[in-house]
Amino acid sequence: MQINELLQLVDEAVYLNTGQYLNDLQRGVIEGTLKHQKYADIAETCGCSAGHIKDVGYELLQMLSDIFDEPIDKGNLKSVLERQGNVNLFLGDKSINQNIIGCMNIGSKKTKTKPEKNQVVASKFQQRSKNKNKIERIDKLRHFGLSDEQIAEVLDLPLEVVKQVESE
């Protein structure tokens, strides 16, 4: 994957887990790290101190470790992002990269075909923490009489994900 694709992947993951996109400094840290630059070089490019870049980098790598559910450091960032970005899920007859809820039991299978443009393209990690709250709300919304279609709309989830969550 190209650096721009990896930046977009990180930006989407951070947004889906925090509600905020990467700022310019965070993007600079990710880009510099992917180019194997030292913090001092990244700081010079970004126009701030190396100490500040180290602090931003540390926080960012910790956040990404939580989002991707594996330890991330400067040395393995690129391989983790490429691996996470290539997660393809197979659901029945459809092969999609989808926002799948982390606690659902879905077998993964890499496919050889590219998803069509009208398919939602994202990796399973992207909404893991956000969707945990949404899953808890699905049963509550069903209790109030909402249909699966209405729940999917309210929670901004794909209908097939809502239908896979069984009522408790």
Side-chain angles (χ1 to χ4, degrees), residues 73-144:
D73 56 36
K74 283 181 71 176
N76 71 353
L77 177 64
K78 185 174 183 179
S79 61
V80 169
L81 295 179
E82 287 179 339
R83 183 172 49 256
Q84 293 288 339
N86 287 323
V87 173
N88 287 316
L89 296 174
F90 185 76
L91 299 174
D93 294 334
K94 294 182 180 177
S95 170
I96 56 174
N97 284 338
Q98 186 59 272
N99 299 333
I100 300 297
I101 299 162
C103 62
M104 294 177 67
N105 185 12
I106 299 175
S108 65
K109 179 178 178 182
K110 193 162 184 157
T111 62
K112 294 179 183 176
T113 59
K114 291 184 180 180
E116 294 188 14
K117 289 185 179 185
N118 63 349
Q119 291 178 320
V120 178
V121 179
S123 298
K124 71 176 183 178
F125 70 86
Q126 290 180 322
Q127 287 194 344
R128 185 176 295 154
S129 64
K130 202 171 189 180
N131 284 344
K132 285 179 186 177
N133 291 331
K134 289 180 181 182
I135 263 208
E136 293 168 1
R137 291 190 245 160
I138 289 173
D139 279 333
K140 188 179 253 185
L141 292 171
R142 283 183 179 147
H143 178 73
F144 289 125

Side-chain angles (χ1 to χ4, degrees), residues 3 7 29 31 48 61 63 84 86 104 115 135 149 155:
I3 289 180
L7 277 169
V29 169
E31 185 173 353
C48 61
L61 293 173
M63 179 178 20
Q84 293 288 339
N86 287 323
M104 294 177 67
I135 263 208
E149 291 81 9
L155 296 179

